[in-house]
């Protein structure tokens, strides 16, 4: 995963709850009943939390405790390698420093941008290969983990990749909706993330810019705003397509992805100016390194 560093715009609460932790660890096979009783005795003797006592006895790891906490607080994520690529760190490593940084970006966006009337945001970069798609995918997951109805739209009709990241079967998507060949049937719920939906790019088309500029995009935006709390648009790089200017203008705001030692300041400044002239608010930027 492109590692976020120093978001240019935090920490999150990590509540701990002992109730039922012992039972859940036994049910998961992490502890035997005898071991759970040993933990309970140490807990009572030294006034510890159950998880702390279990760790002190060397019976469980910090990851074991975090997994139980995620279940207690309804915080969905994948506990082992499975359906998604390892770079989707928000799915597999929700307690890592990288994901803490993603949560910090999320918090800033919630404070500075998303409101009841502002639900759409484009994620964009100057160059292809700057990690925009993976950052967008991971941000979508951390928004959905708040219990917000979140939609990730793959608006990169030239080189889409969200369908590969989330292992969606090839089929209809945004291009088909904009062309009037499909309704909202292509919307798919991401497996294991009940509050995350995806609208893939859909069929390869010869005229992506013309489709993006259709009035049907505005109509689609309005429909989606009535159904979702947060809508993130993954966009093509500005250096390779002008589509991003239209997508960002329709979204109203844009979060810029800046790749360390790769994105040129002059190019970023020119892109920012283009966005502002098109009526788009540059909400902030995220520096990534990989």
């Amino acid at each position: 995963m492109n590692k976020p560093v120093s978001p240019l715009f935090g920490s999150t609460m990590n509540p701990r709850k002992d109730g039922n932790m012992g039972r859940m660890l036994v049910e998961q096979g992490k502890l035997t009943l005898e071991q759970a009783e040993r933990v309970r005795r140490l807990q009572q003797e030294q006034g510890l939390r159950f998880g702390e006592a279990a760790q002190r006895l060397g019976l469980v790891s910090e990851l074991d405790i975090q997994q139980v906490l995620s279940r207690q607080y309804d915080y969905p994520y994948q506990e082992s390698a499975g359906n998604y690529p390892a770079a989707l760190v928000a799915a597999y490593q929700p307690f890592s420093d990288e994901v803490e940084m993603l949560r910090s970006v999320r918090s800033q966006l919630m404070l500075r941008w998303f409101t009841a009337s502002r639900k759409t945001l484009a994620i964009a970069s100057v160059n292809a290969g700057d990690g925009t798609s993976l950052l967008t995918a991971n941000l979508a997951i951390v928004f959905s983990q708040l219990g917000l109805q979140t939609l990730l739209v793959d608006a990169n009709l030239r080189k889409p990749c969200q369908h590969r990241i989330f292992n969606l079967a090839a089929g209809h998507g945004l291009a088909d909706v904009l062309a009037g060949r499909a309704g909202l049937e292509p919307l798919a719920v991401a497996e294991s993330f009940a509050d995350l939906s995806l609208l893939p790019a859909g069929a390869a088309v010869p005229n992506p810019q013309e489709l993006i500029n259709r009035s049907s995009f505005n109509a689609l935006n309005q429909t989606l705003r009535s159904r979702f709390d947060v809508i993130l648009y993954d966009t093509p790089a500005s250096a390779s397509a002008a589509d991003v200017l239209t997508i960002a203008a329709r979204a109203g705001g844009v979060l810029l992805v800046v790749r360390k030692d790769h994105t040129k300041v002059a190019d970023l400044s020119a892109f920012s100016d283009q966005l502002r002239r098109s009526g788009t608010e540059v909400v902030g930027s995220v520096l990534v390194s990989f």
Side-chain angles (χ1 to χ4, degrees):
M1 149 77 182
N2 40 305
K3 182 178 180 181
V5 293
S6 182
L8 308 186
F9 337 98
S11 64
T12 57
M13 292 180 66
N14 186 19
R16 293 185 176 265
K17 179 181 180 182
D18 290 332
N20 297 323
M21 179 171 285
R23 175 181 59 78
M24 294 176 74
L25 287 168
V26 170
E27 289 176 351
Q28 293 176 18
K30 305 292 186 180
L31 294 176
T32 65
L33 289 173
E34 291 77 14
Q35 289 172 330
E37 184 56 32
R38 285 177 56 200
V39 174
R40 186 67 66 190
R41 287 197 297 269
L42 181 62
Q43 179 190 18
Q44 293 173 346
E45 290 169 2
Q46 299 192 18
L48 302 172
R49 296 185 177 98
F50 188 93
E52 292 172 330
Q55 283 185 270
R56 185 168 297 187
L57 290 170
L59 298 174
V60 298
S61 67
E62 175 65 19
L63 179 59
D64 292 330
I65 301 303
Q66 297 287 12
Q67 288 174 351
V68 170
L69 288 170
S70 72
R71 291 177 182 272
Q72 289 180 327
Y73 288 92
D74 195 24
Y75 190 79
Y77 74 98
Q78 301 291 298
E79 294 181 7
S80 60
N83 294 333
Y84 309 127
L88 208 55
V89 292
Y92 294 113
Q93 303 172 44
F95 313 110
S96 65
D97 291 341
E98 289 181 68
V99 181
E100 280 298 315
M101 190 65 69
L102 286 165
R103 292 193 193 98
S104 178
V105 174
R106 178 190 66 188
S107 296
Q108 292 296 324
L109 290 173
M110 292 295 292
L111 289 169
R112 298 186 178 203
W113 182 250
F114 288 110
T115 64
S117 60
R118 286 195 307 210
K119 298 184 176 183
T120 53
L121 182 70
I123 315 296
S125 64
V126 172
N127 303 301
D130 281 352
T132 301
S133 294
L134 269 177
L135 180 68
T136 307
N138 278 286
L139 273 177
I141 289 176
V142 296
F143 271 109
S144 73
Q145 287 169 335
L146 279 180
L148 296 170
Q149 289 297 314
T150 304
L151 175 64
L152 169 53
V153 180
D154 193 344
N156 187 344
L157 302 186
R158 298 171 187 271
K159 293 184 178 179
C161 64
Q162 295 297 344
H163 63 291
R164 290 196 298 272
I165 292 175
F166 286 94
N167 284 328
L168 297 177
H172 288 165
L174 177 63
D176 306 277
V177 175
L178 296 180
R181 298 174 56 204
L184 292 181
E185 300 86 5
L187 282 174
V189 175
E191 184 181 348
S192 303
F193 296 98
D195 296 311
L196 175 60
S197 298
L198 298 108
L199 179 59
V205 293
N207 59 335
Q209 190 167 359
E210 287 74 17
L211 281 179
I212 292 296
N213 277 282
R214 287 189 178 185
S215 60
S216 53
F217 201 152
N218 275 334
L220 175 63
N221 246 337
Q222 292 301 319
T223 301
L224 296 177
R225 285 188 182 114
S226 69
R227 295 181 55 171
F228 294 94
D229 301 311
V230 171
I231 303 165
L232 301 180
Y233 285 100
D234 182 14
T235 69
S238 67
S240 59
D243 311 358
V244 61
L245 295 176
T246 303
I247 298 165
R250 298 285 171 85
V254 62
L255 177 68
L256 297 177
V257 181
V258 182
R259 184 175 173 186
K260 186 179 179 182
D261 300 326
H262 189 266
T263 305
K264 296 180 179 178
V265 174
D267 292 341
L268 181 65
S269 178
F271 182 34
S272 298
D273 288 342
Q274 284 182 303
L275 288 163
R276 292 188 177 98
R277 286 197 298 270
S278 69
T280 303
E281 181 174 343
V282 178
V283 179
S285 58
V286 177
L287 184 67
V288 299
S289 176
F290 59 96

